[in-house]
Amino acid sequence: MLRTVNRVLLGLVGLILVAAGGAALAAGAGLSVPSWWPWHGTDDVLLSRARRERWHHYGWWWPVVIAALAVLILLALWWLLAQLRRARLAEVLVDSGDGEGALLRGRALETVLAGEAEALHGVARAQVSLHGRRTTPAARAALLLEPHAAPAETLALLTSQALAHARDSAGLAALPAEVRMRAVKHRPQRVS
């Protein structure tokens, strides 16, 4: 979702900036612009004194301006915090059995899981990422299947082998996983 919000937000800001810049350039270059265009000539200013003080004497003006700016600041802070949040799990806490804990790098577990998944029959490529908390991680796997692979069998093998090995080796009670499968693009086989 964050990726979509980023793209939409950047697209809207870009469109607004391009439109404002184009309007200012067209008016500043002395090009003929439509009558509804906000700037009309090379000596025209972006905001005249009358436009700046137009709503100044109304009692509701400043509360509305402050509320709008506060909403913009809250949205900007939300966006900034969402950018700083890690999408992947950096480390997994492994119970070593002696009262202490050991930290396992998340990337190492992802690499091992992806390697075991790629070794399964019918899997052309696998990508795995961990998310959640370091005491209760969850996996997201994207598998690219060969044309002859059976998705149900591949999922059963992934669950019983790769995910079970990762869960047991990290000493986790459970390792929930979300698995997405796609097939390799291939030409249709001709039957004669």
Side-chain angles (χ1 to χ4, degrees):
M1 179 181 140
L2 185 60
R3 186 178 298 167
T4 305
V5 170
N6 282 343
R7 289 180 180 170
V8 169
L9 184 64
L10 287 174
L12 286 174
V13 168
L15 283 175
I16 290 169
L17 290 175
V18 166
L25 281 174
L31 299 173
S32 61
V33 292
S35 61
W36 52 268
W37 208 255
W39 303 285
H40 297 290
T42 57
D43 296 329
D44 200 7
V45 293
L46 295 178
L47 285 175
S48 66
R49 185 177 179 95
R51 283 186 183 168
R52 286 192 314 260
E53 295 178 357
R54 181 177 181 181
W55 304 103
H56 185 69
H57 300 293
Y58 291 98
W60 56 267
W61 170 249
W62 287 114
V64 168
V65 169
I66 291 171
L69 290 175
V71 167
L72 284 175
I73 288 172
L74 288 176
L75 286 173
L77 284 175
W78 171 80
W79 180 78
L80 178 65
L81 290 175
Q83 299 304 312
L84 296 176
R85 189 184 69 194
R86 289 186 175 168
R88 288 184 155 175
L89 192 58
E91 51 196 28
V92 176
L93 185 62
V94 178
D95 184 16
S96 57
D98 59 357
E100 298 289 324
L103 292 178
L104 173 65
R105 285 189 177 172
R107 296 252 185 205
L109 189 57
E110 290 172 355
T111 303
V112 169
L113 266 169
E116 282 195 42
E118 284 180 358
L120 295 175
H121 177 70
V123 177
R125 191 172 66 226
Q127 292 179 335
V128 178
S129 65
L130 294 175
H131 65 282
R133 298 180 185 267
R134 59 188 216 164
T135 55
T136 56
R140 285 188 186 131
L143 304 179
L144 189 62
L145 301 180
E146 297 287 346
H148 63 277
E153 292 175 15
T154 304
L155 183 60
L157 288 173
L158 179 73
T159 305
S160 65
Q161 292 179 10
L163 290 172
H165 290 159
R167 182 187 66 238
D168 295 341
S169 66
L172 299 170
L175 182 59
E178 175 185 327
V179 181
R180 295 180 185 223
M181 298 182 194
R182 287 184 313 131
V184 173
K185 293 183 179 180
H186 63 282
R187 292 183 163 193
Q189 296 179 353
R190 296 188 183 253
V191 179
S192 53

